Amino acid sequence: MSGPDSKDRAYHLAERQKSGRGDYLEALLAPLAIEQRAAILDLGCGSGYVNEYVAARFAPVRNLGLDYALATVELARELTKAQGPVFFCASAEQIPLPDACAGHVIGRVVLPYISVTRAVREIARVLKPGGTVLLSLHPWTHYAAWLSLKPWRWRKTAAALLLLASGAWFAVTGREVHPAIGSHRVTQSFQTASRMRKLLLASGLEVYRVIKKREFLIYARRL
Ligand SMILES: C[S@@+](CC[C@H](N)C(=O)[O-])C[C@H]1O[C@@H](n2cnc3c(N)ncnc32)[C@H](O)[C@@H]1O
């Protein structure tokens, strides 16, 4: 069995430790109004701690965790002790599930790394009418914090400028740009509440709560 490379594994283990606490997840998920025996889908599920919490708290009828990285899916399977969660490898931009199959979708820090437009379209498709979604996003300040006048940090500063420019273009025009640097395509970007409101509404999802504190969170409901 292949394992995640040490960097990814260390990242996911640290995130699990930091964000896998019951009190944090209770507050994070409360606005979704998840009912007992609901059908849940976590996009970019990482090490699976959200699915594990959901399994214990809501006894869901379906509890799916999807991640693009096979090694991460394998890590989630290895670490998750709860009965019920099913982890599989797929892209949130092309979800291999039928229409209207999920009552609640969670996307914690995955949309900033992929095509937001495609992912939102897919979320709207798989959500049942009345179903709810939580998206945790990157505000522009996430990348502004990378800017530095120190010459040895020029790479990070250049990346920040590129990501701030592509995010600003998306905020103003609604069109995503994913510039290529050599063979590497940059898919990372920042999001704004107003652009996300418009994008979600265009796919039939109405935003009912925006939280901008320690995290940038958007909650929306399928109309
Ligand atoms: C920042 S991590 C967040 C992990 C987890 N949601 C959490 O909050 O701890 C982003 C995750 O998204 C996954 N990912 C990246 N691109 C993806 C895509 N197109 N579809 C699904 N997952 C993706 C990565 O493999 C990674 O596990």
Side-chain angles (χ1 to χ4, degrees):
M1 188 177 90
S2 63
D5 77 34
S6 56
K7 199 165 134 252
D8 284 350
R9 191 178 175 96
Y11 168 81
H12 285 301
L13 292 176
E15 196 53 37
R16 188 181 181 84
Q17 183 81 16
K18 183 166 76 107
S19 306
R21 298 183 333 266
D23 57 341
Y24 167 75
L25 291 171
E26 182 73 30
L28 181 78
L29 301 182
L32 286 178
I34 299 175
E35 64 282 13
Q36 292 293 312
R37 304 200 50 73
I40 309 287
L41 171 64
D42 186 15
L43 301 175
C45 62
S47 71
Y49 60 85
V50 171
N51 296 91
E52 190 159 36
Y53 174 79
V54 161
R57 176 74 175 73
F58 301 105
V61 67
R62 235 184 341 269
N63 187 1
L64 305 177
L66 162 169
D67 202 285
Y68 195 61
L70 175 60
T72 303
V73 169
E74 289 175 342
L75 179 66
R77 288 176 185 153
E78 176 193 324
L79 294 179
T80 300
K81 303 281 179 285
Q83 293 292 312
V86 173
F87 299 105
F88 62 101
C89 199
S91 174
E93 296 175 4
Q94 208 173 355
I95 303 172
L97 292 174
D99 297 356
C101 65
H104 308 278
V105 174
I106 297 148
R108 189 170 180 277
V109 213
V110 60
L111 265 65
Y113 298 106
I114 63 178
S115 165
V116 179
T117 312
R118 284 197 212 132
V120 162
R121 224 179 280 140
E122 280 295 83
I123 291 167
R125 185 183 65 75
V126 298
L127 261 184
K128 296 177 186 174
T132 56
V133 56
L134 152 65
L135 300 175
S136 143
L137 302 166
H138 279 168
W140 68 272
T141 49
H142 178 89
Y143 299 108
W146 293 6
L147 295 172
S148 169
L149 290 174
K150 296 184 177 110
W152 60 91
R153 295 199 55 198
W154 72 270
R155 275 178 201 277
K156 192 105 177 169
T157 297
L161 289 171
L162 188 68
L163 297 171
L164 286 167
S166 67
W169 180 257
F170 175 55
V172 173
T173 66
R175 301 228 301 273
E176 289 183 80
V177 277
H178 295 301
I181 301 177
S183 60
H184 176 67
R185 187 158 289 282
V186 181
T187 49
Q188 210 173 139
S189 190
F190 75 81
Q191 295 75 40
T192 59
S194 62
R195 175 51 60 196
M196 290 306 295
R197 265 183 211 282
K198 288 182 192 148
L199 186 67
L200 287 156
L201 197 56
S203 286
L205 295 159
E206 186 179 37
V207 172
Y208 61 89
R209 188 169 299 182
V210 175
I211 298 177
K212 272 187 167 174
K213 288 187 186 154
R214 199 169 63 84
E215 291 177 281
F216 176 18
L217 306 171
I218 287 188
Y219 298 83
R221 181 175 291 107
R222 178 93 164 87
L223 295 170

